[in-house]
Amino acid sequence: MKNNDKLTNKKVQSWIIFGLAILNIVAFIVLSNKLYFRIDMTEGQKYSISKATKDLLKKLDNNLILEYYYNDKSKEVKEVAQVIQYVEDMLKEYENAGKGLVNVVIKELSYEKPKDQALIAEIEQKGIQQFALSESGSTESKSLLGFSGMLLTYKENQSVIPAIYNDQGFEFRLDVEIKKIVGGGDERLGIYFNAKDRTLEKDFRYLKQVTEREFKNIHRMYAGQSIPQDVTILLIVGGENLTDFDVFQIDQFLMNGGNALFAVNGINVLASEYGIYGIPGDSKVFELLAHYGVRINRDLVGDNQSYNPIRQGLSLARYPLWIKVKSANFNKKNVMVSEIERINLLWSSSVEILDYSKDKAQTLFSTTKGAWNQTENFKLDLETYKYPIQEGKKDYSLAAAFDGAINSFFKDKAVPKNENGEQFTGSKTDAGTTKFVVIGNEQFIQDNFAGNDEFIFLMNAIDWLSKDNSLIEIRNKGKFSKPLDKVKDVNVHNFLKSFIIGFTTYVIPIIFILIGVILFILRNSRNKKIHEFYNKDIKS
Amino acid sequence: MINVRNLVKSYGNSEPAVKGVSFDIEKGEIVGLLGPNGAGKTTIMKMLTCFMNPSSGTIEIDGRNTVDDPLYVKKLIGYLPENSPQYDDMTVYEYLKFTAEIRGIEKTLIGDSISKMIKLSSLEKVVSKKIGQLSKGYKKRVGLASVMIHDPKILILDEPTSGLDPNQIITFRKILRRLSEKKTIILSTHILSEIEAICERVIIINNGKIVANDAIQNLIETYSDDQYVDFSVEADNLLEVELEISKVKGAWKIEFVKKESKKIFKFKALVSKGSDFKNNLKEFINSKGWKLTSFETGEANLEEIFLKLAGEEEDK
Amino acid sequence: MMKSIIEIIVNSIVLFGVPALIIGLPLALLPNGVRAMYKKEIGGYFHSSIAYVFLALFVIVPNIMFFHFFGGIFKEDLASMRRFFSMLPYVFIIFIPGLTMGSWAKEKNSGTIELLFTFPVSEWQILIGKFLAALTLVLIALFSALFIPLLTQIFLGDFDWGQIVTQYIGVIFLSGCYIAITFFLSSLTMELIDSFLLSAALLLILTIIAYLPSVVSFPGWLEWLRKVFVWTSLSTHFSNFSKGVIDSRDILYYVGVTGIFSYLNLRSLESRKWS
Ligand SMILES: Nc1ncnc2c1ncn2[C@@H]1O[C@H](COP(=O)(O)OP(=O)(O)OP(=O)(O)O)[C@@H](O)[C@H]1O
Ligand SMILES: [Mg+2]
């Protein structure tokens, strides 16, 4: 009986332990869902959403719905399929980081089904766009419509990313849209456009597009207009036609904590049927910047070691005035440019940081050591540069960033009159703290010269200037696909593929079996030895 | 060394297979567990070796409870299960090596102990054969070798000699006797001669209970006033005789042995000395109209005692 | 070229080192019962033809599936093993029970279980020895698949090795989990075929539960249940690993499931004592 008690006791005990274990497990699950870590082991932290994004998602106080739609045809094109996979993966990361407030909906729509067609039409109404797919690899190129876009909904606000067919910068684009609808992205950009002989609408369309993608509000500034209160960043492209009053306004804007980017040619270049000529720029901005301690020199810089040749007929002509800034010559310590590989600068002037602002300003990028500058006689035809005309002696700084305190250019000076409108009535500020970026070139963001990297630099600079500059680092994130492109010859390529498939699928099993046979033989011979050993014993 | 108290084991809800067994075994004893099929011998052994826990009751081995301290107990024991199960894919040598390793024998000593066991069980001819290919007897010998390899203090052997040839049985007995100086041995068997030959003491079990637990000599003495009787009856119908004859008073058990001729049937009875079985039998046979053709008496041996004890149990 | 070769070497060392540690450490640190058991089991696999049939099939079948049905890495010419690893939870449904069905059922059937549990080692040592042996076999098969990225890297293009390392880490957890589950079921049965069918069925359910059409289209008010299914599923927790992200929750899940089933396994083995 005693024993029976012991047994029942044991049973009760084990039930209690079982119950406790279950409780523990549940507590453990709950806890582990609260306290967890993720380590992204992929190259370039492909699937880590940045701190900026996490901070952005922390601001949510309501459900953010991210609807991602794509069609099956897009998934059949390998580049786009990769992007779709990446977007899906990233959305899961967002869902994860959103702590329950981010709802992700992913829908694959059929290209053919009428029901889905109706849905596509509906979504297209909201702004998602179809795009042409070009199927690479197959000889005949079918023209199909791809479809891969997102709808974002937060409270009553909605926004879209019309087409996603590139993984580069996806996180950034999504964050920008989220910022727009969640609020907080309320900074306003003002643009002074005064490039000589060119217009924003005709020659700088990309600039317009790129900035509009990021800023809901862009204010176009004209001479004599006063800068609206809500503009926080000024983009000054070209310095011609700026009046004294405009310069005064810019100065005061900076004194009061506004930030600005100056892209102004030291030398304006004219190409006509008589040849290419340079004319030194004439703008009040030069004086203003020099006063602050960052001077745009009225020169042209040529780089003998890194330039873009010009195509002349069938051959390439030497043209050191089209500088190609090399990866090594970017200031790796500065987030604006640390990740940029190259920037092309056509007819750029050097930017010089004056001694008294050395500790507030830094160079962003510069030429190689083999550069020279030209300060007069700007006859810039190709023939002039066919052979090196100057020896490169040193490197020239081409862009600079300033961050610190400045004194007003108009301290102890009278407020200029405004010839085109209202006069300044308030009291002027004589000192302040500001950030600005200076580059001695306008062309680098001009439609026919600019590429991806140039705009990334521009937008990074604008981000740096904006109050919330957390997104700089992720703008360029992406480009993860790893193509198998070591071998260019198609036949060799295909042979190697078959070899790898054959080896891994059929040869390895054969190796296993061979190992088996070897082990079998070894075991047998070992057995024989053991047998002999013990039976010799017997005889002796 | 081994103290068993009120051991009960039931499988599921059916009638217990072991019903309150108590016994003690001293160091150095060789004890035989004897009993018919299904008596519970294997069950008791499984509990002794910590393979199973008792439903109630306690087993202490070397002062440790088998339920609370199985690891300690298992270290002391070498257990040869019934039918001597082994890994058929292994060679004899590999199997002995494995058992040596898992029993924690020091690496440097493993080779020696294997050689010793191989010699002891005369396994030389089959060291490199797969166990699956061995004859039943050899398998048993491998089993015996494997349980003795770590030189355990206690050997528990479930039907160790079943399937061995006579030569082997003799060697096996020799081995056991030699071992018995240092070891405590429990073995189970159906074969009485086995017990007579090896064991000092026998525990007879029937239907889950101990019916006798004594030194063999004592058992013989206690029951020496018992004798067996062979007699033959001449009658028409064997079935009728078999049914009726058990009614004769004065015998423990009456068993049919064989047909001597068409109408003469030979029986065997276990009888206490001094009982008037002979007269009772004569009277009974006469009353039935049969004929007693022979009647012989002899000394009882263990076989008879076993039969009697087992019968006692069945009568209840 | 030099750099990539060095990278391959370093990565291979890491990749082969991790499983060697995972299996070697317990073997070195745990008592000799585990070691003896491990040796016996590995011997059992490799002395019979089981290991070779298993290894050969476990290489051929997934590779054929990978290259010919799931696009492999060559259809799109992208250096990624992700599809291969995403496939594994499903491949395991058949292969792991095939390997482990005998783990206990065979011992019970042939009576050798009586030997095992009367050896002076505890049950968990025997369990761990068996577990590591089965894991070793699975990992040998999986690591032979490493030749796909290795050869491809040498000839055709660079892989993201961080991702591959993660995938392999994940697959170690995944196979451990599957092995623990099938071991438990094997301990409940006497016959190999029962063990196999039971294991395969349970694994199938646990693996696809989150993707069943009826589960995917649960109505809104059953959303919580869908979430429970998604959380329970063995394969959903592998998706992070297969894309290259280690999430502590996935590790906990796998370790937890492995632990729970191993615990149940020990209990079911102990139940023989009380039957
Ligand atoms: N695993 C089991 N489940 C249920 N009943 C069992 C089990 N093992 C044994 N039994 C029952 O317990 C009783 C005793 O069996 P046990 O095997 O101990 O007998 P035994 O004395 O060893 O017989 P034998 O001489 O045939 O080996 C038998 O009635 C048997 O049916
Ligand atoms: Mg028995």
Side-chain angles (χ1 to χ4, degrees):
Chain A
M1 270 296 86
K2 227 179 169 181
N3 251 297
N4 263 341
D5 284 356
K6 212 172 165 185
L7 247 174
T8 40
N9 259 344
K10 245 191 170 152
K11 271 192 179 159
V12 170
Q13 252 179 35
S14 64
W15 276 112
I16 290 174
I17 289 172
F18 186 69
L20 284 178
I22 294 273
L23 267 181
N24 264 333
I25 290 168
V26 170
F28 201 62
I29 291 170
V30 170
L31 206 71
S32 69
N33 274 317
K34 288 262 179 297
L35 304 170
Y36 64 87
F37 60 86
R38 284 170 81 81
I39 308 169
D40 187 351
M41 302 274 287
T42 53
E43 220 172 289
Q45 263 69 48
K46 190 170 169 183
Y47 298 110
S48 293
I49 53 177
S50 62
K51 184 160 179 313
T53 307
K54 282 183 197 150
D55 290 342
L56 180 63
L57 295 177
K58 266 186 205 146
K59 285 187 203 141
L60 299 178
D61 51 14
N62 224 305
N63 276 0
L64 170 69
I65 302 164
L66 305 176
E67 291 166 80
Y68 176 52
Y69 299 96
Y70 61 89
N71 68 358
D72 44 2
K73 281 284 177 288
S74 314
K75 222 176 176 176
E76 283 165 20
V77 178
K78 69 178 185 188
E79 291 89 358
V80 186
Q82 280 283 310
V83 174
I84 291 172
Q85 175 78 66
Y86 176 69
V87 171
E88 286 187 15
D89 289 338
M90 283 304 277
L91 288 179
K92 295 229 175 80
E93 298 291 324
Y94 272 74
E95 199 168 27
N96 231 319
K99 312 246 178 222
L101 283 175
V102 176
N103 298 342
V104 171
V105 181
I106 298 171
K107 271 223 169 80
E108 178 176 327
L109 300 170
S110 158
Y111 194 74
E112 270 114 20
K113 271 191 208 151
K115 201 175 108 198
D116 284 358
Q117 282 301 313
L119 188 56
I120 290 177
E122 194 184 306
I123 301 165
E124 267 187 309
Q125 287 279 303
K126 292 183 180 158
I128 294 183
Q129 291 162 6
Q130 304 203 10
F131 51 86
L133 289 173
S134 60
E135 204 156 4
S136 58
S138 58
T139 40
E140 27 149 6
S141 70
K142 289 175 255 174
S143 82
L144 290 168
L145 285 180
F147 189 81
S148 156
M150 273 182 74
L151 273 180
L152 299 84
T153 316
Y154 184 75
K155 294 181 191 166
E156 289 86 51
N157 302 336
Q158 256 200 351
S159 102
V160 291
I161 305 180
I164 307 167
Y165 43 79
N166 190 343
D167 53 7
Q168 192 168 21
F170 167 73
E171 184 182 356
F172 178 78
R173 278 173 78 186
L174 182 55
D175 283 0
V176 167
E177 294 305 320
I178 292 175
K179 231 179 192 171
K180 275 188 199 164
I181 55 171
V182 172
D186 49 4
E187 291 193 62
R188 196 165 179 197
L189 181 72
I191 300 183
Y192 277 104
F193 187 85
N194 285 300
K196 198 176 167 95
D197 301 333
R198 282 154 293 171
T199 66
L200 182 58
E201 287 72 18
K202 249 172 114 185
D203 303 301
F204 285 76
R205 277 173 302 182
Y206 288 151
L207 171 65
K208 238 182 129 205
Q209 272 179 25
V210 170
T211 48
E212 274 167 3
R213 212 191 278 164
E214 231 163 293
F215 288 89
K216 249 192 295 197
N217 296 304
I218 294 183
H219 194 89
R220 178 73 198 274
M221 303 290 308
Y222 296 99
Q225 260 185 4
S226 46
I227 302 171
Q229 280 295 312
D230 57 353
V231 169
T232 50
I233 302 164
L234 277 180
L235 177 56
I236 295 145
V237 182
E240 309 283 315
N241 306 334
L242 283 176
T243 65
D244 283 342
F245 180 74
D246 293 330
V247 172
F248 170 71
Q249 282 213 77
I250 293 170
D251 177 75
Q252 286 302 301
F253 173 80
L254 294 176
M255 290 307 123
N256 289 312
N259 300 330
L261 184 144
F262 297 89
V264 182
N265 282 343
I267 306 291
N268 287 312
V269 176
L270 291 176
S272 69
E273 50 202 288
Y274 305 112
I276 307 172
Y277 297 96
I279 303 161
D282 171 27
S283 169
K284 310 242 159 33
V285 176
F286 293 124
E287 259 176 86
L288 182 75
L289 289 175
H291 171 79
Y292 296 151
V294 182
R295 188 168 64 204
I296 297 177
N297 291 321
R298 242 68 63 81
D299 63 0
L300 284 177
V301 180
D303 191 335
N304 284 349
Q305 287 169 16
S306 178
Y307 55 85
N308 283 291
I310 291 183
R311 183 172 287 279
Q312 204 180 24
L314 285 175
S315 61
L316 292 173
R318 204 175 168 279
Y319 200 62
L321 290 181
W322 283 11
I323 299 166
K324 176 156 88 185
V325 182
K326 277 179 152 174
S327 163
N329 295 327
F330 287 97
N331 183 347
K332 296 291 175 202
K333 288 188 194 121
N334 191 299
V335 284
M336 262 185 271
V337 288
S338 56
E339 293 298 316
I340 292 178
E341 293 288 314
R342 51 172 258 189
I343 283 182
N344 291 326
L345 289 177
L346 283 58
W347 300 297
S348 186
S349 307
S350 61
V351 169
E352 194 176 341
I353 297 169
L354 301 178
D355 280 345
Y356 56 88
S357 49
K358 276 237 157 58
D359 50 343
K360 295 175 208 160
Q362 55 182 169
T363 298
L364 291 177
F365 48 84
S366 50
T367 61
T368 65
K369 288 256 188 301
W372 42 264
N373 74 340
Q374 183 173 1
T375 50
E376 50 185 9
N377 193 13
F378 297 113
K379 193 171 171 338
L380 308 175
D381 290 314
L382 295 184
E383 281 69 29
T384 321
Y385 299 96
K386 210 163 191 168
Y387 305 100
I389 53 166
Q390 280 200 49
E391 200 185 323
K393 289 199 179 87
K394 61 171 235 180
D395 53 339
Y396 289 84
S397 171
L398 296 170
F402 181 98
D403 184 359
I406 46 170
N407 287 322
S408 169
F409 181 60
F410 290 90
K411 193 179 172 185
D412 311 325
K413 284 185 198 156
V415 177
K417 286 247 154 34
N418 185 1
E419 285 140 33
N420 306 330
E422 282 175 41
Q423 302 300 324
F424 179 76
T425 50
S427 57
K428 73 181 160 77
T429 318
D430 286 343
T433 319
T434 185
K435 293 204 272 192
F436 60 85
V437 173
V438 177
I439 174 166
N441 191 287
E442 295 156 21
Q443 288 79 247
F444 81 108
I445 40 174
Q446 190 173 331
D447 288 354
N448 38 357
F449 303 125
N452 209 13
D453 291 323
E454 283 78 14
F455 279 112
I456 285 173
F457 163 63
L458 175 80
M459 295 315 289
N460 277 351
I462 291 177
D463 279 340
W464 183 70
L465 296 171
S466 66
K467 287 192 193 78
D468 176 9
N469 52 27
S470 53
L471 296 184
I472 291 184
E473 285 160 44
I474 61 170
R475 179 190 304 280
N476 205 12
K477 216 181 124 191
K479 238 195 225 167
F480 291 118
S481 68
K482 298 193 139 264
L484 299 176
D485 54 4
K486 266 191 195 166
V487 176
K488 296 282 182 282
D489 186 322
V490 181
N491 288 330
V492 178
H493 187 85
N494 286 339
F495 168 76
L496 286 171
K497 277 182 185 176
S498 317
F499 167 71
I500 291 170
I501 294 178
F503 182 82
T504 53
T505 312
Y506 304 105
V507 178
I508 288 178
I510 291 172
I511 291 175
F512 280 141
I513 288 166
L514 283 181
I515 291 174
V517 171
I518 292 170
L519 285 181
F520 178 78
I521 293 169
L522 284 180
R523 191 187 183 206
N524 272 357
S525 76
R526 199 180 54 220
N527 283 345
K528 220 178 228 165
K529 265 187 211 147
I530 291 172
H531 184 85
E532 276 165 14
F533 175 76
Y534 282 105
N535 288 295
K536 219 182 275 161
D537 254 24
I538 266 190
K539 280 165 206 158
S540 63
Chain B
M1 194 82 195
I2 300 175
N3 312 93
V4 177
R5 290 288 166 274
N6 302 321
L7 196 62
V8 174
K9 178 75 194 177
S10 18
Y11 290 106
N13 294 324
S14 57
E15 198 198 343
V18 177
K19 305 164 186 164
V21 164
S22 306
F23 57 86
D24 297 295
I25 294 172
E26 294 307 316
K27 199 174 171 188
E29 266 191 295
I30 301 188
V31 176
L33 274 185
L34 189 65
N37 290 134
K41 304 181 293 290
T42 302
T43 308
I44 291 174
M45 287 185 153
K46 280 183 180 171
M47 287 187 279
L48 288 174
T49 53
C50 308
F51 183 73
M52 282 177 177
N53 289 342
S55 303
S56 78
T58 54
I59 303 173
E60 282 187 359
I61 293 181
D62 202 19
R64 312 276 189 118
N65 190 304
T66 52
V67 177
D68 302 335
D69 220 346
L71 278 188
Y72 179 84
V73 171
K74 285 196 240 180
K75 269 193 196 126
L76 299 178
I77 295 178
Y79 171 49
L80 178 69
E82 207 171 359
N83 304 326
S84 181
Q86 279 139 21
Y87 295 100
D88 288 348
D89 287 337
M90 289 178 152
T91 65
V92 172
Y93 185 85
E94 283 165 353
Y95 178 68
L96 291 178
K97 195 165 172 217
F98 163 63
T99 51
E101 278 172 352
I102 203 163
R103 288 198 153 112
I105 296 176
E106 249 180 79
K107 249 199 176 139
T108 47
L109 303 178
I110 286 181
D112 283 349
S113 32
I114 293 176
S115 301
K116 230 162 89 188
M117 286 304 123
I118 286 175
K119 233 177 234 162
L120 197 75
S121 306
S122 335
L123 291 169
E124 287 89 351
K125 284 209 179 104
V126 294
V127 268
S128 292
K129 269 201 170 165
K130 282 190 181 173
I131 293 176
Q133 298 164 352
L134 296 184
S135 69
K136 210 174 144 197
Y138 266 113
K139 251 182 102 170
K140 206 98 198 184
R141 279 150 74 172
V142 174
L144 285 169
S146 77
V147 296
M148 292 190 279
I149 201 163
H150 60 309
D151 197 21
K153 289 199 175 127
I154 302 171
L155 277 176
I156 298 182
L157 312 169
D158 201 349
E159 299 183 20
T161 52
S162 75
L164 293 187
D165 64 43
N167 270 337
Q168 268 306 308
I169 292 182
I170 291 166
T171 2
F172 171 68
R173 285 178 188 164
K174 267 188 206 150
I175 293 169
L176 277 197
R177 266 191 232 109
R178 216 171 50 218
L179 287 174
S180 68
E181 286 151 29
K182 292 172 285 177
K183 291 188 197 315
T184 311
I185 300 172
I186 305 178
L187 55 90
S188 82
T189 177
H190 304 123
I191 306 165
L192 291 156
S193 53
E194 183 88 21
I195 298 220
E196 282 185 289
I198 313 172
C199 301
E200 297 150 4
R201 184 148 68 100
V202 63
I203 296 176
I204 300 178
I205 297 173
N206 189 30
N207 204 6
K209 285 193 172 169
I210 293 184
V211 290
N213 176 2
D214 213 336
I216 292 167
Q217 213 39 52
N218 292 349
L219 265 187
I220 293 174
E221 273 166 30
T222 313
Y223 295 98
S224 59
D225 53 344
D226 291 351
Q227 35 186 209
Y228 68 84
V229 173
D230 288 319
F231 62 90
S232 307
V233 177
E234 192 183 331
D236 295 331
N237 191 342
L238 171 65
L239 215 68
E240 195 191 341
V241 181
E242 262 196 300
L243 273 174
E244 296 289 325
I245 201 107
S246 61
K247 288 178 185 160
V248 181
K249 296 223 164 74
W252 290 110
K253 190 166 184 163
I254 301 173
E255 260 195 349
F256 171 66
V257 180
K258 62 176 186 189
K259 254 183 179 177
E260 286 192 323
S261 71
K262 213 176 174 192
K263 286 193 170 180
I264 299 177
F265 312 116
K266 190 170 182 183
F267 285 86
K268 189 176 206 154
L270 195 58
V271 175
S272 307
K273 265 183 195 157
S275 73
D276 42 4
F277 174 69
K278 194 170 179 179
N279 297 334
N280 292 350
L281 184 69
K282 276 182 181 160
E283 261 171 46
F284 186 80
I285 283 178
N286 288 338
S287 74
K288 289 279 171 188
W290 305 331
K291 206 166 143 195
L292 190 64
T293 54
S294 73
F295 189 93
E296 278 166 39
T297 55
E299 277 302 300
N301 64 6
L302 257 185
E303 195 107 37
E304 274 75 39
I305 295 170
F306 168 49
L307 281 176
K308 175 178 158 182
L309 294 170
E312 222 173 352
E313 201 51 41
E314 268 162 36
D315 289 347
K316 278 179 193 171
Chain C
M1 190 69 195
M2 202 53 216
K3 198 180 137 227
S4 77
I5 287 176
I6 290 171
E7 193 180 339
I8 290 172
I9 293 171
V10 170
N11 284 313
S12 312
I13 291 172
V14 171
L15 281 169
F16 288 113
V18 168
L21 273 184
I22 282 181
I23 290 164
L25 261 188
L27 282 181
L29 296 179
L30 289 173
N32 63 348
V34 177
R35 231 168 310 147
M37 204 57 214
Y38 176 81
K39 267 167 81 178
K40 182 230 136 196
E41 287 286 309
I42 284 283
Y45 287 134
F46 283 99
H47 288 163
S48 69
S49 49
I50 299 178
Y52 309 104
V53 173
F54 174 81
L55 285 176
L57 284 179
F58 204 172
V59 171
I60 293 175
V61 173
N63 275 15
I64 288 179
M65 281 168 72
F66 178 52
F67 285 119
H68 300 290
F69 298 107
F70 288 85
I73 49 177
F74 297 133
K75 190 175 153 209
E76 293 167 357
D77 276 357
L78 288 170
S80 161
M81 287 293 282
R82 191 163 170 188
R83 292 220 178 101
F84 182 81
F85 283 94
S86 308
M87 216 172 62
L88 286 182
Y90 303 95
V91 173
F92 279 2
I93 294 174
I94 299 293
F95 278 93
I96 303 267
L99 180 69
T100 60
M101 59 186 173
S103 57
W104 298 114
K106 214 165 127 193
E107 306 263 11
K108 282 174 139 189
N109 206 341
S110 67
T112 43
I113 195 154
E114 267 184 68
L115 291 174
L116 280 187
F117 293 126
T118 51
F119 286 136
V121 291
S122 33
E123 275 95 349
W124 64 265
Q125 293 189 18
I126 293 172
L127 177 65
I128 289 180
K130 276 178 176 282
F131 181 89
L132 290 177
L135 189 63
T136 305
L137 216 65
V138 174
L139 292 186
I140 288 175
L142 290 175
F143 276 81
S144 75
L146 203 54
F147 279 103
I148 300 172
L150 279 176
L151 290 175
T152 311
Q153 167 114 12
I154 291 169
F155 297 126
L156 294 173
D158 295 342
F159 275 79
D160 180 345
W161 284 92
Q163 194 182 38
I164 291 181
V165 168
T166 315
Q167 288 163 337
Y168 271 99
I169 291 174
V171 94
I172 291 170
F173 284 113
L174 184 79
S175 33
C177 197
Y178 276 59
I179 291 171
I181 293 173
T182 51
F183 265 28
F184 168 63
L185 291 173
S186 178
S187 78
L188 296 180
T189 50
M190 289 278 276
E191 299 294 330
L192 294 189
I193 189 73
D194 293 351
S195 165
F196 177 79
L197 291 178
L198 210 60
S199 302
L202 182 67
L203 288 182
L204 182 69
I205 292 170
L206 283 180
T207 307
I208 64 168
I209 190 164
Y211 304 114
L212 291 175
S214 55
V215 173
V216 172
S217 58
F218 266 173
W221 57 273
L222 273 178
E223 179 64 16
W224 65 272
L225 189 61
R226 197 184 66 82
K227 277 196 177 146
V228 169
F229 283 174
V230 167
W231 190 88
T232 319
S233 168
L234 286 166
S235 50
T236 50
H237 289 271
F238 191 61
S239 64
N240 275 327
F241 285 116
S242 72
K243 78 183 184 190
V245 176
I246 298 176
D247 190 313
S248 64
R249 287 167 296 181
D250 297 330
I251 295 182
L252 275 178
Y253 170 86
Y254 284 128
V255 171
V257 173
T258 309
I260 288 170
F261 277 93
S262 301
Y263 173 77
L264 290 176
N265 198 339
L266 285 179
R267 296 304 302 237
S268 97
L269 291 175
E270 264 172 30
S271 75
R272 72 163 197 282
K273 286 188 161 184
W274 304 103
S275 73

